[in-house]
Amino acid sequence: MKLKNTLGAVIGSFVAASSMGVMAQGQGAVEVEGFVNEYFTDSSRNFAHDEGSQYGGSIGYFLTKDVELALAYGEYHSLNGDKALGNKDIKGNMTDLKALYHFGEPGPGLRPYVSGGFAHQSISNVDAGGRDHSTFATAGAGAKYYFTEMLYARAGVDALYNIDQGETEWQAGVGVGLNFGGSKPVVAAVVEPEPAPVVEEPAEIVRVELDVKFDFDKSKVKEDSYGDIKNLADFMNQYPQTTTTVEGHTDSVGTDAYNQTLSEKRADAVRDVLVNQYGVGGERVNAVGYGESQPVADNATAEGRAINRRVEASVEAEAK
C-alpha cells in the first residue's frame, strides 16, 4: 500500500509539473521518469517464479536532440527463492546505464527509440544467504509519447544478457516522465534583403531654339524658314506641356515706334505659322515685339542689321 501511495504521489507530481510553462526538448534536456517493469528471470538461479516486479526511477541527459544517456535504479518485488533452506522473499535491485537513440523530431507526439548499455544486479537469499551479483549487457526498444513538450509516457522491452551466468532474461515496462531544460534548434530568421535604393537619373533637359530672319522692312515669313518653324512645332506637339514666347526684333533703321510695330508683326507672323499651319495650341504660344531695343549684332553694318532683323523662340522640356 505504501508503495502504491508513493507511486501515485510521483505521478501526481509529474502531472502538476507539466502544467507549468512549456519547456523545450532537444539538446541539453533532462528527463526524469518513474517506471514499473515486469521482470522475466528465465534463468537457473533458483527462483520459485519466473517473473517479478521492479519499481524505480531514472534520470537522463540529451547529448544531442536524439541521443540520451540515462541512469536508472529499480528494486525488485514479488521475487521468491526456490531453495528449501532459503528465504523465499528475495530482495534486490538493479542499476543500469544506457544510451537511447530517439527517432523523429522533438516535440509533442510519438518518438520511438532503441537502447543499449550495461546493468548491475544485486539480489539476496537465492541460496539461503549471501548476495548474488550479476553484470548484464542490455538492448531494448520502445516508444515515448509526449503529450506536451514536457510530459510523456513510455513503454518498452529490454533483453538482459547475464554476462556472469551466460543466460538471457527479459523485462517489459511502462513509465511516466518529464522532459525539461533543453533547447530547440535555432531556426535562422529569414531576412528579406532591403530593396536597393532607387537612384533616379537626373532628368535630361532638351531644348529647341528658333531664329527666323526677315528681309528689310518686311514681316512675311520666308519659305526657307518654314522648316525651322516646323521643327519647333513638332517638338511642342511631342511635349504638350510646353509653352513658348515668340520674340520679334528689328534693325535700327526707322523710328522707334515704327520698329516696335514691325517687330510685333514679325512675331505674330511666326506665331500664325506655328498655330494655324502646324497645329500648336494658340494658348501655348505668346507673341511679343521688342523693336530695335535688343540688337545682337552691329547695326552700323549691313551684315549686322541683317542679323538683327529676326524672330526668336525657345522651348525646353524634360526628356522621358
Side-chain angles (χ1 to χ4, degrees):
M1 183 64 69
K2 182 178 180 181
L3 179 62
K4 292 182 179 179
N5 292 339
T6 301
L7 185 59
V10 171
I11 295 173
S13 299
F14 284 168
V15 174
S18 69
S19 64
M20 299 186 299
V22 173
M23 302 292 184
Q25 297 181 29
Q27 183 177 2
V30 174
E31 282 190 348
V32 292
E33 178 184 311
F35 61 80
V36 178
N37 290 329
E38 190 69 10
Y39 177 45
F40 303 94
T41 62
D42 195 22
S43 72
S44 59
R45 289 185 294 162
N46 303 314
F47 293 106
H49 303 289
D50 61 0
E51 63 181 86
S53 299
Q54 181 194 44
Y55 299 89
S58 68
I59 183 168
Y61 179 79
F62 277 79
L63 303 176
T64 71
K65 69 181 183 66
D66 299 320
V67 178
E68 178 188 12
L69 192 62
L71 178 65
Y73 175 82
E75 292 190 350
Y76 294 109
H77 296 266
S78 304
L79 281 178
N80 296 316
D82 198 25
K83 289 291 185 179
L85 299 178
N87 186 337
K88 292 187 178 182
D89 185 12
I90 296 176
K91 303 295 185 183
N93 58 70
M94 175 179 280
T95 303
D96 71 84
L97 179 66
K98 59 187 172 184
L100 296 86
Y101 183 84
H102 299 76
F103 299 92
E105 291 300 315
L110 188 67
R111 296 201 75 187
Y113 70 85
V114 292
S115 66
F118 294 92
H120 178 266
Q121 183 188 69
S122 175
I123 56 176
S124 65
N125 297 320
V126 175
D127 287 314
R131 300 190 70 84
D132 180 72
H133 297 274
S134 298
T135 300
F136 292 84
T138 68
K144 297 178 182 178
Y145 187 85
Y146 291 86
F147 300 99
T148 67
E149 289 275 1
M150 195 173 183
L151 177 66
Y152 72 90
R154 181 190 61 81
V157 176
D158 294 287
L160 312 173
Y161 178 73
N162 191 324
I163 298 173
D164 300 312
Q165 301 289 335
E167 297 173 330
T168 301
E169 300 178 340
W170 301 85
Q171 66 182 18
V174 294
V176 61
L178 293 176
N179 178 302
F180 57 92
S183 59
K184 284 186 174 178
V186 177
V187 178
V190 177
V191 179
E192 293 291 339
E194 292 288 336
V198 178
V199 179
E200 293 187 2
E201 295 291 335
E204 180 184 358
I205 303 300
V206 289
R207 179 183 177 90
V208 174
E209 295 184 349
L210 179 66
D211 187 358
V212 178
K213 297 297 193 261
F214 287 82
D215 291 335
F216 176 72
D217 199 25
K218 301 296 183 182
S219 60
K220 182 180 178 180
V221 178
K222 294 188 289 184
E223 290 295 328
D224 60 4
S225 296
Y226 274 79
D228 293 335
I229 298 173
K230 184 178 184 302
N231 287 339
L232 179 67
D234 290 344
F235 183 84
M236 294 185 70
N237 289 332
Q238 181 181 357
Y239 298 98
Q241 76 279 10
T242 56
T243 60
T244 190
T245 297
V246 179
E247 302 174 350
H249 303 272
T250 69
D251 60 24
S252 61
V253 178
T255 65
D256 289 346
Y258 182 83
N259 286 334
Q260 177 62 37
T261 300
L262 181 59
S263 69
E264 293 172 359
K265 289 180 180 179
R266 288 173 174 171
D268 288 338
V270 173
R271 179 183 183 277
D272 183 68
V273 175
L274 283 170
V275 173
N276 296 323
Q277 292 196 39
Y278 296 129
V280 179
E283 73 283 357
R284 298 170 59 201
V285 183
N286 187 33
V288 63
Y290 290 100
E292 60 183 79
S293 63
Q294 297 182 6
V296 294
D298 187 0
N299 276 313
T301 65
E303 293 80 4
R305 290 192 295 274
I307 293 173
N308 289 332
R309 295 192 295 269
R310 71 197 191 279
V311 166
E312 296 176 332
S314 63
V315 180
E316 286 186 352
E318 290 186 1
K320 296 182 179 179

